[in-house]
Amino acid sequence: MSDDAQAASAEIRARIDTSKPHSARFWNYFVGGKDHYEIDREIGEQIKEIFPGLVDVARTSRHFLGRAVRHLAGEQGVRQFLDVGTGLPTADNTHEVAQRVAPDARIVYVDNDPLVLTHARALLTSTPEGATAYIDADMYEPDAVLEAAAKSLDLSEPVALVILNTLGHVSDYGRARGIVSRLMAGLPSGSFLVVSDSTATSAGMIAASEAYNASGAVPYHVRAVEEIAGFFEGLDLVDPGIVQVTRWRPDADGAQGEPADVDAYGGVGRKP
């Protein structure tokens, strides 16, 4: 490793704070990953006691991501994906799902967490036909995100913007909508938006959010379903619209009964 690379690696490690829980590590713990610290496991176990259903939210939100990406790469023919708020790599990341369907798909990941950055460089690989890239950037600066993404994606062609379990970190709802609007404004007609977030649809979820926010982590704000729907204003919703993530085009895998109820809603919308 060169001196410059060693210095960059040391700078990234210095940014990792293990004294407070972090959402990417906390979520990684809930989906069965290995990239978390004791502080993340402690708050995870505490929240399981308050609201065990949050584990289901984490896992089913991940499954929603897979179904949405498969639909876009397969039925809609999308070949470019911009995943903002990447989180820690686990199984079935956006590029893996997309490139199984379309090996020539190009994916750009965006996050500014140092631990995510460390793992992304090692794990986010690509098929020979496609490409993946990682941007160390802040979603609060959407113009900078778009400028950096344009180095890997052709922003004159449709792009699927993916923002999962991330917008809840933006405390002001108007600002959150502004971020989404600005990012979508930089993408052409025929692009898509994929959003899901935890919702204030049960006392348990609200209590879990309050406990997490009291832990010292960067707060995560659960919102009303109507607010999730607001992110899609001006877009054409893909059926079945804004629904619980378990009910968005569930796989016909022979399972019996209705999809499970979860406190997480999402949807997919197309830019006219």
Side-chain angles (χ1 to χ4, degrees):
M1 183 182 292
S2 69
D3 289 344
D4 287 346
Q6 287 180 334
S9 178
E11 189 274 332
I12 291 168
R13 289 195 301 272
R15 288 162 52 193
I16 298 174
D17 183 357
T18 61
S19 67
K20 298 176 182 178
H22 187 279
S23 61
R25 304 190 311 244
F26 169 80
W27 213 242
N28 181 264
Y29 174 62
F30 269 9
V31 299
K34 299 179 180 179
D35 298 310
H36 39 75
Y37 293 95
E38 182 63 29
I39 191 69
D40 307 301
R41 295 188 288 273
E42 287 176 0
I43 188 62
E45 290 301 314
Q46 178 186 340
I47 288 178
K48 282 183 184 179
E49 291 291 326
I50 297 170
F51 181 53
L54 191 57
V55 176
D56 295 328
V57 167
R59 292 175 179 170
T60 58
S61 295
R62 194 75 185 177
H63 298 158
F64 164 75
L65 168 66
R67 296 195 304 277
V69 170
R70 284 196 299 273
H71 171 76
L72 292 174
E75 297 180 41
Q76 300 291 346
V78 176
R79 293 296 179 267
Q80 302 188 110
F81 294 81
L82 178 59
D83 188 329
V84 176
T86 304
L88 287 163
T90 57
D92 288 338
N93 301 292
T94 299
H95 74 286
E96 294 169 325
V97 177
Q99 290 180 345
R100 283 191 204 115
V101 178
D104 59 337
R106 305 175 67 85
I107 296 87
V108 170
Y109 292 97
V110 181
D111 210 304
N112 67 341
D113 176 71
L115 188 62
V116 174
L117 175 60
T118 299
H119 286 271
R121 287 178 169 167
L123 299 179
L124 300 181
T125 56
S126 174
T127 59
E129 303 94 326
T132 65
Y134 185 94
I135 301 171
D136 181 12
D138 193 329
M139 70 175 175
Y140 288 99
E141 300 176 354
D143 289 331
V145 169
L146 290 167
E147 181 180 355
K151 297 176 181 178
S152 300
L153 304 178
D154 180 356
L155 299 190
S156 69
E157 295 293 329
V159 175
L161 172 63
V162 180
I163 315 179
L164 263 60
N165 306 301
T166 298
L167 291 167
H169 288 299
V170 185
S171 59
D172 182 79
Y173 177 61
R175 188 175 187 186
R177 285 191 60 168
I179 290 170
V180 174
S181 295
R182 181 64 196 96
L183 289 170
M184 288 302 297
L187 304 179
S189 174
S191 293
F192 288 84
L193 172 66
V194 183
V195 166
S196 75
D197 262 309
S198 301
T199 49
T201 42
S202 76
M205 175 56 84
I206 293 169
S209 175
E210 291 173 348
Y212 179 79
N213 294 346
S215 71
V218 175
Y220 184 95
H221 305 276
V222 292
R223 294 193 162 105
V225 177
E226 293 77 14
E227 291 178 306
I228 304 300
F231 293 124
F232 294 88
E233 184 177 1
L235 305 181
D236 297 327
L237 287 173
V238 175
D239 288 338
I242 309 302
V243 294
Q244 291 178 3
V245 293
T246 51
R247 298 174 185 274
W248 197 90
R249 296 176 177 249
D251 292 327
D253 57 2
Q256 299 297 313
E258 288 290 310
D261 288 328
V262 293
D263 293 302
Y265 279 68
V268 178
R270 182 183 184 277
K271 183 175 180 178

